[in-house]
Amino acid sequence: MRAGGRRGPGGLQALLVALGAAAAALALGAAAYNLAPERAVLFQGPPGSFFGYAVLQHFHDNTRWVLVGAPKADSKFSTSVKSPGAVFKCRVHTNPDRRCTELDMARGKSRGTSCGKTCREDRDDEWMGVSLARQPRADGQVLACAHRWKNIYYETDYILPHGFCYVIPANLQTKGRTLIPCYEEYKKKYGEEHGSCQAGIAGFFTSVSIVMVHVCACTRMCACDCVGVAHICVCTRVCVSTCVCAWWCHLGHCFSFVPFNLG
């Protein structure tokens, strides 16, 4: 990164932001709590799967669950796919063996499965479960993402790491909703508009929409600088594109939001 470029909030600024958030929480009447490690409930997943990379509490139909992302896991529902990752559900009560079972998302089971007019998916090492989020209501849906999911329709020229998210119904059954926010028909150029994208590296729900964080990066062989407080990532040298960051610009990467209506 060149001199004068910004690396995001500095340590002092981050500390002030954290203190400000804590003060706001106290003003709203937030209460503290203590953890009781002697009464911990332990769930374990497959070795080497990064089980626990993302963790989410879920409640539905008088049953409490812990949902756990394991983004390096093999999937029993997609045995021909290399380590796509998985999301596990672990019942909190009436589960003396502390067993967790993989959620079936009814995904494609082989490389090249069609996902649109100009879309064929590659799920190898897609990191499903890298992020989890829950809709803040009693029958809330769950968002599970795989930011390393790739579109290989134009693989002779470009492999497009768009990222993939899946909206899981509150009952944790298979009939969910697929979200590939950076996919557009007949767009094949790496770095065009969305760059690498990798949507789903983080995500959350609002009252009316789903918001996924994606990465806006320069095309290959191009340098990228974060410029000023305007949150703009400028691709330099022979490149002319820019990315306006809705969130923040850090170390040559521009992080933006992609909203989806829940309706």
Side-chain angles (χ1 to χ4, degrees):
M1 182 167 165
R2 291 180 175 84
R6 294 180 62 87
R7 292 179 175 266
L12 178 59
Q13 183 181 352
L15 176 60
L16 292 175
V17 170
L19 290 174
L26 289 174
L28 292 173
Y33 64 92
N34 293 322
L35 298 176
E38 68 277 2
R39 300 180 60 185
V41 177
L42 179 64
F43 298 104
Q44 292 182 313
S49 67
F50 287 13
F51 181 88
Y53 195 93
V55 179
L56 183 71
Q57 294 185 69
H58 180 65
F59 177 79
H60 177 72
D61 196 22
N62 294 320
T63 303
R64 292 190 178 275
W65 302 90
V66 172
L67 303 183
V68 183
K72 293 289 288 179
D74 294 324
S75 172
K76 70 177 183 181
F77 300 109
S78 304
T79 55
S80 63
V81 180
K82 175 188 173 185
S83 303
V87 177
F88 291 84
K89 62 178 182 180
C90 313
R91 189 191 297 267
V92 175
H93 302 295
T94 62
N95 184 10
D97 295 330
R98 303 291 184 244
R99 291 182 180 175
C100 299
T101 57
E102 181 185 349
L103 290 180
D104 182 5
M105 300 184 193
R107 303 283 309 283
K109 295 179 172 33
S110 61
R111 189 177 190 271
T113 299
S114 176
C115 43
K117 285 184 179 180
T118 57
C119 183
R120 289 190 293 113
E121 67 175 6
D122 179 0
R123 296 183 52 214
D124 286 352
D125 298 304
E126 68 174 356
W127 277 54
M128 172 51 72
V130 69
S131 66
L132 297 170
R134 186 183 186 278
Q135 195 174 8
R137 66 184 195 191
D139 58 344
Q141 302 174 90
V142 172
L143 179 71
C145 296
H147 73 302
R148 291 169 58 95
W149 179 96
K150 301 170 288 294
N151 178 6
I152 57 170
Y153 188 88
Y154 297 107
E155 67 178 322
T156 55
D157 298 310
Y158 298 99
I159 293 177
L160 306 172
H162 287 327
F164 174 100
C165 291
Y166 192 74
V167 182
I168 305 168
N171 62 5
L172 305 181
Q173 298 304 308
T174 57
K175 292 183 179 180
R177 177 183 177 188
T178 294
L179 299 177
I180 311 174
C182 293
Y183 164 67
E184 294 183 49
E185 293 176 1
Y186 305 107
K187 289 238 176 146
K188 67 178 182 178
K189 186 177 179 182
Y190 180 87
E192 190 171 26
E193 294 186 8
H194 297 301
S196 61
C197 189
Q198 295 188 312
I201 197 167
F204 59 91
F205 285 88
T206 70
S207 58
V208 296
S209 65
I210 301 169
V211 180
M212 288 155 286
V213 175
H214 73 89
V215 179
C216 179
C218 293
T219 54
R220 286 175 293 182
M221 304 304 294
C222 299
C224 188
D225 279 343
C226 297
V227 179
V229 295
H231 301 293
I232 297 176
C233 187
V234 178
C235 303
T236 58
R237 286 189 285 185
V238 296
C239 312
V240 294
S241 61
T242 62
C243 303
V244 179
C245 305
W247 190 22
W248 61 292
C249 191
H250 182 63
L251 295 180
H253 289 85
C254 176
F255 295 84
S256 295
F257 291 139
V258 183
F260 261 79
N261 198 307
L262 285 172

